[in-house]
Amino acid sequence: MNTLIFVYNADSGIKNLAIDIAHKLFSPKTYACNLCALTFNTFSENTIWKDFRNRTNLNIAFLHTDEFKTKHPNHTFEYPIILSKNNSTLDVFLSKDEINALSTVEELILNIESKSCDMMR
């Protein structure tokens, strides 16, 4: 079965988290990760997203950019991105441009559900 890998356009760690929170608070329009903005509020996970994540049957994993690059050093993408992993193959599920075109978490969920249904056919 495929796994969806969500790669945020942010590095991991407490320092980076503090910088991200400050950026969201003081300059949200210039925040570089729309995937983060859709799935997280300033201080916590978006409730609608969390509910979706808890009820979905999809295999999902979440990585920050630095974590993804460590696990997959031979792959280069523009972030944020959602990838579909089948065995050792990574395919683009939702591209940076597709994610950046979304304005609500509901749109993100609809896209994921629609594309995952197509993937299973």
Side-chain angles (χ1 to χ4, degrees):
M1 181 186 266
N2 289 359
T3 298
L4 293 183
I5 302 173
F6 292 70
V7 185
Y8 294 106
N9 190 25
D11 286 336
S12 61
I14 297 296
K15 177 183 163 192
N16 291 310
L17 176 61
I19 292 168
D20 287 345
I21 289 171
H23 199 152
K24 283 182 182 179
L25 283 171
F26 300 113
S27 189
K29 293 201 185 284
T30 63
Y31 189 62
C33 185
N34 197 42
L35 185 57
C36 299
L38 293 170
T39 59
F40 281 85
N41 301 317
T42 303
F43 299 106
S44 63
E45 189 172 13
N46 178 297
T47 304
I48 295 168
W49 175 250
K50 187 174 184 177
D51 290 344
F52 167 75
R53 208 176 37 72
N54 287 331
R55 71 174 160 75
T56 188
N57 292 326
L58 297 170
N59 292 327
I60 54 178
F62 300 92
L63 296 171
H64 293 91
T65 305
D66 60 326
E67 296 165 327
F68 178 81
K69 289 177 180 179
T70 298
K71 287 186 174 206
H72 303 281
N74 298 324
H75 291 85
T76 304
F77 296 101
E78 290 187 38
Y79 308 102
I81 193 164
I82 302 172
L83 301 165
S84 173
K85 182 178 181 186
N86 190 4
N87 297 320
S88 62
T89 304
L90 291 175
D91 295 308
V92 175
F93 184 81
L94 281 179
S95 70
K96 174 185 175 179
D97 291 340
E98 290 172 305
I99 292 168
N100 287 342
L102 302 173
S103 57
T104 67
V105 70
E106 291 88 353
E107 288 178 326
L108 174 62
I109 292 167
L110 285 173
N111 272 270
I112 292 168
E113 289 176 334
S114 174
K115 285 192 129 185
S116 62
C117 285
D118 292 345
M119 191 171 65
M120 292 180 188
R121 287 183 191 162

